Amino acid sequence: MSVKASATANTTFAELFGRAPDVRADAPGRVNLIGEHTDYTGGYVLPVAIPQRTRVELAPRIGPLVRAWSADMPEAELQEYRLGDEKPVHDWLDYVQGITEVLRQEGYTLRGFDLRIESDVPVGGGLSSSAALEVSLLRALREAFGLDLDDVQIALAGQKAENDFVGAPVGVMDQMASSLADEKTALFLDTRSLQYEKIPLPAEAELVVIDSGVSHRHSGGEYRIRREECERAAELLGVRQLRDLDPQDLWRLPSLPEPLDRRTRHVITENARVRSAVASLRERDLPRLGKLLYASHESLRNDFEVSIPEIDHLVELASEEPDVFGARITGGGFGGAIVAVARRGTGRKAGDHIAARYGQDGKKKATVLVPAT
Ligand code: ADP
Ligand code: MG
């Protein structure tokens, strides 16, 4: 069945499926304040939820058929599959199929359902629209079918779906952030033990998030290479994961072949920066936090090599703002967004100014996502 001819982004659940939804759920995107490319090495991360969210509406059906529709996908076509017959089709439906397959494998009983998805998290912008979709869908399924799942189990099921079914070897940060973080605290997460603590953002600070307009859509191969490099470096250094090293171990880097030495230096110093950032938040030391953000950016640009000129430009423009303490690339890289810490009350002005200067050449367009309008 196809609704292509008439469906638009505004098409309602009732128009799609001829009845009202039984359940509504949502989940936020996230911005990572610091701790990038550390989650798949068992390290520390510090994400914050953003106001942009993915919202799903769902109604159970009799029988195994799943019908799903997303307002954000250009084809606007209703997709279908049967529970127990999930097969990758290499588009967004794989995120839905991956979730139902993982839940079934883990012994949960589901029925078919009708699903409408809508989001204002930019897709492929490094702010984790994928985890927002996974977590919002899992929340809706938990409610619709009375599933015994806590918020950490939801995050893990989302990650498993993305790893095993979609085929993206992502760490657990995005799903933990979408499931557990909020906009007023930073989620200080140890990605190995999954222990976490919510660190309040100081009242004097305001986060600014600016999307570069460059999608990271084709970055999967680079992400996989970085992950493999980190695994190889850990093996050569005789540790389980790079997380098991700290700055005292930096003297060992010359024993590694290039570029594993630089990749490892990034991970070791980034984990140390996350801990320092947590201390800075606790002490409300924004200049120190800002320096850590700039240092993280340098490390991701030079040692981990995941930045691009557009993102470097945004960080440079941010550094010229009098009320900005620090800025860095956020997310996996190769496009996406920057995060900056500004003095409270100045974020909008600074963000608009940065975006205007970035767009001066008429070729690029940046969007200020946080603070939201
Ligand atoms: P991001 O950094 O935004 O998480 P990913 O590449 O990890 O980027 O995930 C983006 C993919 O997730 C999209 O290409 C799409 O398949 C899926 N997705 C995210 N949001 C939606 C949505 N609202 N509707 C349908 N699919 C979505
Ligand atoms: Mg993602």
Side-chain angles (χ1 to χ4, degrees), residues 54 70 72-73 91-92 95 117-119 122-131 133 162 174 216:
T54 297
S70 169
D72 308 300
M73 293 293 122
D91 72 11
W92 65 270
Y95 290 84
I117 303 161
E118 183 177 333
S119 182
V123 173
L127 300 169
S128 205
S129 68
S130 57
L133 172 55
E162 196 160 337
D174 295 353
H216 66 60

Side-chain angles (χ1 to χ4, degrees), residues 185-233:
T185 61
L187 187 77
F188 176 35
L189 171 68
D190 176 334
T191 61
R192 180 183 282 173
S193 68
L194 296 187
Q195 281 187 339
Y196 62 88
E197 189 181 346
K198 289 187 167 192
I199 315 287
L201 295 174
E204 307 80 17
E206 179 170 6
L207 295 190
V208 182
V209 179
I210 306 173
D211 186 353
S212 68
V214 182
S215 167
H216 66 60
R217 204 166 306 149
H218 301 294
S219 65
E222 290 288 342
Y223 187 97
R224 196 179 292 274
I225 290 168
R226 293 300 180 283
R227 193 175 169 138
E228 284 165 6
E229 286 169 343
C230 290
E231 282 161 11
R232 178 84 187 116

Side-chain angles (χ1 to χ4, degrees), residues 75 120 123 145 171 218 233 236 249 280 328 330 360 368:
E75 68 275 17
D120 55 3
V123 173
F145 299 115
H218 301 294
L236 290 172
D249 298 302
S280 316
R328 59 180 284 276
T330 187
Q360 255 164 11
V368 181

